[in-house]
Amino acid sequence: AQSVSQHNHHVILSEAASLELGCNYSYGGTVNLFWYVQYPGQHLQLLLKYFSGDPLVKGIKGFEAEFIKSKFSFNLRKPSVQWSDTAEYFCAVENDSWGKLQFGAGTQVVVTP
Amino acid sequence: NAGVTQTPKFQVLKTGQSMTLQCAQDMNHNSMYWYRQDPGMGLRLIYYSASEGTTDKGEVPNGYNVSRLNKREFSLRLESAAPSQTSVYFCASSEVGRGPYEQYFGPGTRLTVT
């Protein structure tokens, strides 16, 4: 079955630390890739997306993600986190069925002051 | 511009009761979606509507029905609620096609079935 895996369910780190969240998917064909974020008490919003072209994608709030096709991965990174980055992060994959997103289980990130 | 709105925000049901969750979007999007979010499972697609007049099953459709009332509105109905349907429900909308298109999410409905 097709799946999206996020390796870490819960991450705790200090302000100014670097963040990397892993995401792997199992689709074999063309995919569109997304990272969404859900801040406490808010609804999901898009951080960044990849369709084609440069595999290093930059998003909002200093986040970036790298698509590595050979590894079926789309990892999210931020060089220096802030307390306001405390949130749940979801990787999502759209394959041939346009609009039908498959989400990962999510990673809860807690940034301590 | 309200984006995607959902009502109600919270609901408690007894097993066997029915209810309808309402969703509306004002972005003139063709596609609308219903998801449920459960701890440790991310978001799972219940039903979606690629355009007005069409609906299709997602990953977890059992126990639910939907109606695409018009381009703006997409409702989700639980005919006979079960404790397994305790969840947070999100509606979303987007354009559709060879995008990728961002999905815009509503604030969610927290449903508890006792």
Side-chain angles (χ1 to χ4, degrees), chain A residues 8-93:
Chain A
N8 309 98
H9 295 297
H10 205 93
V11 172
I12 301 173
L13 60 167
S14 302
E15 277 190 311
S18 64
L19 173 69
E20 179 158 1
L21 302 181
C23 174
N24 285 88
Y25 62 92
S26 64
Y27 301 105
T30 303
V31 293
N32 296 327
L33 300 161
F34 304 80
W35 276 97
Y36 282 85
V37 61
Q38 187 175 28
Y39 297 104
Q42 297 186 27
H43 50 88
L44 274 83
Q45 56 188 282
L46 182 70
L47 265 182
L48 48 78
K49 62 186 178 184
Y50 173 80
F51 173 38
S52 65
D54 189 342
L56 187 61
V57 180
K58 294 194 185 300
I60 61 171
K61 305 189 179 187
F63 284 91
E64 64 180 29
E66 185 176 13
F67 170 53
I68 303 179
K69 189 174 182 179
S70 60
K71 294 185 178 180
F72 298 89
S73 71
F74 189 54
N75 292 351
L76 181 71
R77 297 195 291 252
K78 186 170 184 178
S80 176
V81 295
Q82 301 172 310
W83 177 78
S84 58
D85 293 322
T86 293
E88 190 159 18
Y89 294 80
F90 295 93
C91 179
V93 178

Side-chain angles (χ1 to χ4, degrees), chain B residues 48-65:
Chain B
Y48 70 103
S49 171
S51 61
E52 186 179 353
T54 69
T55 61
D56 208 345
K57 295 178 181 178
E59 185 183 349
V60 287
N62 291 345
Y64 305 95
N65 285 301

Side-chain angles (χ1 to χ4, degrees), chain A residues 9 30-34 36 38 42-46 49-52 88 90 94-106, chain B residues 33 35 37-45 48 56-59 90 94-108:
Chain A
H9 295 297
T30 303
V31 293
N32 296 327
L33 300 161
F34 304 80
Y36 282 85
Q38 187 175 28
Q42 297 186 27
H43 50 88
L44 274 83
Q45 56 188 282
L46 182 70
K49 62 186 178 184
Y50 173 80
F51 173 38
S52 65
E88 190 159 18
F90 295 93
E94 179 185 38
N95 62 354
D96 296 331
S97 298
W98 296 339
K100 291 179 71 173
L101 292 180
Q102 180 89 24
F103 281 85
Chain B
Y33 314 85
Y35 294 91
Q37 183 184 20
D38 302 292
M41 302 190 75
L43 278 78
R44 292 180 292 167
L45 183 65
Y48 70 103
D56 208 345
K57 295 178 181 178
E59 185 183 349
F90 289 98
S94 75
E95 283 305 334
V96 71
R98 177 65 66 188
Y101 292 107
E102 175 181 358
Q103 291 190 13
Y104 293 83
F105 286 82

Side-chain angles (χ1 to χ4, degrees), chain B residues 4-37:
Chain B
V4 180
T5 57
Q6 292 182 234
T7 56
K9 285 188 168 53
F10 301 93
Q11 184 71 50
V12 179
L13 291 178
K14 294 188 188 308
T15 298
Q17 287 185 318
S18 62
M19 78 162 295
T20 300
L21 282 65
Q22 307 286 355
C23 173
Q25 53 94 5
D26 63 3
M27 294 172 282
N28 203 35
H29 286 157
N30 284 303
S31 297
M32 297 186 73
Y33 314 85
W34 277 105
Y35 294 91
R36 59 179 289 173
Q37 183 184 20

